[in-house]
Amino acid sequence: MTTENSEKDTVAFVVEAGIAWVSFNRPEKRNAMSPALNRRMMEVLDELEFRADVGVLVLSGEGTAWSAGMDLKEYFRETEAHGLQGTRKAQRESYGWWRRLRWYQKPTIAMVNGWCFGGGYGPLFACDLAFAADEAKFGLSEINWGILPGGGAAKVATELTSFRNAMYHALTGENIDGRKAAEWGFVNESLPLAQLKVRVTDVANILLQKNPVALKATKDAIRRVREMPYDNAEDYLVRAQEAANSYDNEGRKEGIKQFIDDKTYKPGLGAYDK
Ligand code: ACO
């Protein structure tokens, strides 16, 4: 295909049996993240986040790539042509949806079916769980074309694997396959591409059986406490648990119902009947 897909087509999604299957959809460009794709992904995340029929979101890629990182032409060259303003706008659009995904309401799974480079490490880390094909290839290729692993990529590497692995990976630009990515902690597991979707579906179905309030509280807790000293983490977890309890509390709805529907009390004059 020689013509660029329209912005809307840069991301594909379908919801089936509680799972939102979202995919980077520029296979002819190895799913490189262009500004158009970044804007569209934010819209899709918006659309799916609070839908009652979505319990888990899976992020994958069409074709042979998960994502070949940032689009060197459209994300770098063409935005730089608009000066610092253009660069900052493009960064906001990409970092914005990665951040949104890190704190997404629903649990998220990266299903890494193929190439995963550079900027792709942002959404990789943003997903709560990650499964890769043995055949997938991961690389911090920035060093190969003359920049440092920016856009969070260096941070993601050091968050997920050891100092020595991260340094070697970033300085040499050597790729690793899915199995090595699992060994290094980039992903939970690696398995043959032909089995990848079945395994991810199984994991998604495990999550779909859990209490959604507990899932959100748990995923946030795991991310937050990593950066806290023990006592702060302990305190955060006490409060997070209490907040989750109250979020699940049906009493507030009952209080509204007894006033608006049943007309059995007036909140200005006293409490509802528990
Ligand atoms: N940015 C822009 N265009 C890209 C990118 C990218 N990151 N990756 C692939 N493409 C384009 C190619 O230019 C080519 O376009 P064309 O058909 O108009 O010539 C098309 O996608 C197909 O790419 P090929 O290289 O022909 O595909 P192949 O399967 O042989 O190789 C591979 C795949 C290894 C992923 C290769 O495309 C590649 O090295 N891409 C760049 C990877 C990279 O370094 N990404 C940047 C990381 S750093 C960062 O994200 C900040």
Side-chain angles (χ1 to χ4, degrees), residues 234-252:
E234 191 180 73
D235 192 45
Y236 166 85
L237 292 169
V238 167
R239 284 158 213 287
Q241 181 58 59
E242 287 166 2
N245 290 347
S246 66
Y247 185 82
D248 224 0
N249 183 353
E250 291 299 303
R252 194 170 50 89

Side-chain angles (χ1 to χ4, degrees), residues 60-128:
S60 186
E62 297 296 326
T64 57
W66 192 66
S67 173
M70 309 321 293
D71 188 307
L72 302 196
K73 177 169 167 280
E74 295 185 35
Y75 180 86
F76 285 108
R77 187 197 283 167
E78 290 177 5
T79 59
E80 280 162 18
H82 297 283
L84 187 60
Q85 186 180 2
T87 297
R88 290 285 182 263
K89 180 171 184 291
Q91 288 168 337
R92 278 197 303 277
E93 288 168 346
S94 54
Y95 304 171
W97 76 261
W98 304 344
R99 188 177 308 114
R100 180 71 179 280
L101 197 57
R102 283 201 299 281
W103 302 105
Y104 210 59
Q105 185 69 24
K106 312 287 169 64
T108 55
I109 304 174
M111 185 168 84
V112 185
N113 51 298
W115 303 109
C116 176
F117 282 108
Y121 285 31
L124 176 71
F125 179 62
C127 288
D128 301 318

